[in-house]
Amino acid sequence: MTDRHRRRSLLGGALRGAIAGLVATWIMDLVTTGMLEGQSKETTERERAARPNGQSTVANLLDWIEAQTGTTLDGGQRVLASQVIHYLLGIVPGALYG
C-alpha cells in the first residue's frame, strides 16, 4: 500500500467515522427527548438535582472553556457554542475511531 493510498484510506475512515458520530448524536437527541417527555416529573426533577452546578455536562464544559480562555459568550453565542460542543463530542470520537 502506498503512502498516498494509506492517507486516503485514513481520511476516508475518519470522514465516515465523523459522519457516523454526527448521525448517532442526532439520533441520541431524538431518543433522549422522547424518553424525557415520557418520564415522570419526579424523575426529571431528580435528574436535574443530580447535575453538577445544576447544569448539563456541555454547559459545564463551556463554562470551563470560557474560564480557560478568558472569554464570555452572550446568550445566543452560548446556545450556538453548546450545540457545536454537543455535536463535536460525537463527531470527534467518531472520526478518531474511523
Side-chain angles (χ1 to χ4, degrees), residues 6-37:
R6 186 176 294 121
R7 275 190 301 238
R8 286 182 64 188
S9 178
L10 285 172
L11 288 175
L15 180 60
R16 285 188 296 276
I19 292 168
L22 172 70
V23 171
T25 301
W26 178 70
I27 290 171
M28 180 187 70
D29 285 347
L30 294 175
V31 171
T32 301
T33 299
M35 290 175 64
L36 290 173
E37 289 173 355

